Amino acid sequence: MHQLTVKNFKQPDESVNLSGHGHKDTVMIDGKPIEFSEFEKGWRWSNDVKPIVGGDSCQAHHLGYCIEGHLQVHMNDGTDKDINAGDAFDIPPGHDAEVVGDDTVVLVDFGKAFDNK
């Protein structure tokens, strides 16, 4: 049975520095991760995360909401999409992404919490 749970990103269960261009904080709720990420000017998955996790492209599913900034997602199939403040998003595995402009991108990601794997 599920129970009422409240966690705050000021006290994350895990925090990862993303090569000096941002960070990702994770809280676990009912065994599922919810991530709060800040990506700074110059951040790109292939430069800042790939060295940490490996692979040719990001293989995570991202389902979330963009609070601030502008992120451009590059799918392996050649499709590009812009995500801006106020946008909800669903990004399947097989992508790269980068911050566009000078503003920090701030996201909340529920993707792994909803994966049925």
Side-chain angles (χ1 to χ4, degrees), residues 16-24 37-39 43 48-49 52:
V16 177
N17 182 319
L18 300 174
S19 301
H21 282 125
H23 66 91
K24 175 180 73 169
S37 300
E38 293 183 324
F39 306 136
W43 179 90
D48 297 301
V49 182
I52 298 169

Side-chain angles (χ1 to χ4, degrees), residues 45-105:
W45 183 91
S46 53
N47 296 331
D48 297 301
V49 182
K50 180 179 178 177
I52 298 169
V53 301
D56 293 329
S57 61
C58 181
Q59 295 303 306
H61 173 209
H62 303 284
L63 177 68
Y65 178 73
C66 181
I67 299 167
E68 296 178 20
H70 178 184
L71 187 73
Q72 188 169 68
V73 178
H74 309 285
M75 297 301 299
N76 289 352
D77 69 4
T79 304
D80 293 334
K81 289 277 186 181
D82 291 308
I83 297 172
N84 292 286
D87 289 343
F89 56 84
D90 186 350
I91 306 169
H95 60 273
D96 193 359
E98 65 182 314
V99 171
V100 176
D102 295 332
D103 296 331
T104 298
V105 172

Side-chain angles (χ1 to χ4, degrees), residues 1-57:
M1 174 178 262
H2 297 283
Q3 62 183 6
L4 176 62
T5 305
V6 177
K7 290 199 170 182
N8 192 296
F9 285 106
K10 290 180 183 175
Q11 296 178 319
D13 295 311
E14 178 184 30
S15 188
V16 177
N17 182 319
L18 300 174
S19 301
H21 282 125
H23 66 91
K24 175 180 73 169
D25 296 328
T26 304
V27 296
M28 300 298 291
I29 297 196
D30 193 28
K32 310 264 183 171
I34 299 172
E35 298 171 349
F36 176 86
S37 300
E38 293 183 324
F39 306 136
E40 298 169 3
K41 177 181 177 180
W43 179 90
R44 185 171 180 132
W45 183 91
S46 53
N47 296 331
D48 297 301
V49 182
K50 180 179 178 177
I52 298 169
V53 301
D56 293 329
S57 61

